[in-house]
Coordinates of all heavy atoms in Angstrom, one line a residue:
E1225 N -9.0 -53.3 -39.3 CA -8.5 -52.0 -38.8 C -9.5 -51.2 -38.0 O -9.2 -50.4 -37.1 CB -7.9 -51.2 -39.9 CG -6.6 -51.8 -40.5 CD -5.5 -52.0 -39.5 OE1 -5.3 -51.1 -38.6 OE2 -4.9 -53.0 -39.5
A1226 N -10.8 -51.3 -38.5 CA -11.9 -50.5 -37.8 C -12.0 -51.0 -36.3 O -12.2 -50.2 -35.4 CB -13.2 -50.7 -38.5
H1227 N -11.7 -52.3 -36.1 CA -11.8 -52.8 -34.7 C -10.6 -52.3 -33.9 O -10.7 -52.0 -32.7 CB -11.7 -54.4 -34.7 CG -13.0 -55.0 -35.3 ND1 -13.2 -55.3 -36.6 CD2 -14.2 -55.3 -34.6 CE1 -14.4 -55.9 -36.7 NE2 -15.0 -55.9 -35.6
V1228 N -9.4 -52.2 -34.6 CA -8.3 -51.6 -33.9 C -8.6 -50.2 -33.4 O -8.3 -49.8 -32.2 CB -7.0 -51.6 -34.8 CG1 -5.9 -50.9 -34.1 CG2 -6.6 -53.1 -35.1
R1229 N -9.1 -49.4 -34.3 CA -9.4 -48.0 -34.0 C -10.4 -47.9 -32.9 O -10.2 -47.1 -31.9 CB -9.8 -47.2 -35.2 CG -8.7 -47.0 -36.2 CD -9.1 -46.0 -37.3 NE -10.2 -46.5 -38.1 CZ -10.1 -47.2 -39.2 NH1 -8.9 -47.5 -39.6 NH2 -11.2 -47.6 -39.9
R1230 N -11.5 -48.6 -33.0 CA -12.6 -48.5 -32.0 C -12.1 -49.1 -30.6 O -12.4 -48.5 -29.6 CB -13.8 -49.3 -32.5 CG -15.0 -49.3 -31.5 CD -15.3 -48.0 -30.9 NE -15.6 -47.0 -32.0 CZ -16.8 -46.7 -32.4 NH1 -17.9 -47.4 -32.0 NH2 -17.0 -45.8 -33.4
L1231 N -11.3 -50.1 -30.7 CA -10.8 -50.7 -29.4 C -9.9 -49.7 -28.7 O -9.9 -49.6 -27.4 CB -10.1 -52.0 -29.7 CG -9.8 -52.9 -28.4 CD1 -11.0 -53.1 -27.6 CD2 -9.2 -54.2 -28.9
R1232 N -9.0 -49.0 -29.5 CA -8.2 -48.0 -28.9 C -9.0 -46.9 -28.3 O -8.6 -46.3 -27.2 CB -7.2 -47.5 -29.9 CG -6.1 -48.5 -30.3 CD -5.2 -47.9 -31.4 NE -4.5 -46.8 -30.9 CZ -3.6 -46.1 -31.7 NH1 -3.4 -46.5 -32.9 NH2 -3.0 -45.0 -31.2
L1233 N -10.1 -46.5 -28.9 CA -10.9 -45.4 -28.4 C -11.6 -45.9 -27.1 O -11.6 -45.1 -26.1 CB -12.0 -45.0 -29.4 CG -13.1 -44.0 -29.0 CD1 -12.4 -42.7 -28.5 CD2 -14.1 -43.8 -30.1
V1234 N -12.1 -47.1 -27.1 CA -12.8 -47.6 -25.9 C -11.8 -47.7 -24.8 O -12.1 -47.3 -23.6 CB -13.4 -49.0 -26.2 CG1 -13.9 -49.6 -24.9 CG2 -14.6 -48.9 -27.2
R1235 N -10.6 -48.2 -25.1 CA -9.6 -48.3 -24.0 C -9.2 -46.9 -23.5 O -9.0 -46.8 -22.2 CB -8.4 -49.0 -24.6 CG -7.3 -49.3 -23.6 CD -6.0 -49.8 -24.2 NE -5.1 -50.2 -23.2 CZ -3.8 -50.5 -23.4 NH1 -3.3 -50.5 -24.7 NH2 -3.0 -50.8 -22.4
A1236 N -9.1 -45.9 -24.3 CA -8.8 -44.6 -23.9 C -9.8 -44.1 -22.9 O -9.5 -43.5 -21.9 CB -8.7 -43.6 -25.1
M1237 N -11.1 -44.3 -23.2 CA -12.2 -43.8 -22.4 C -12.2 -44.5 -21.1 O -12.4 -43.9 -20.0 CB -13.5 -43.9 -23.1 CG -13.7 -42.8 -24.1 SD -15.4 -42.6 -24.7 CE -15.5 -44.0 -25.8

Side-chain angles (χ1 to χ4, degrees):
E1225 291 301 318
H1227 290 92
V1228 173
R1229 291 192 295 270
R1230 178 50 55 91
L1231 193 51
R1232 289 179 60 181
L1233 173 60
V1234 170
R1235 185 185 185 193
M1237 285 194 281

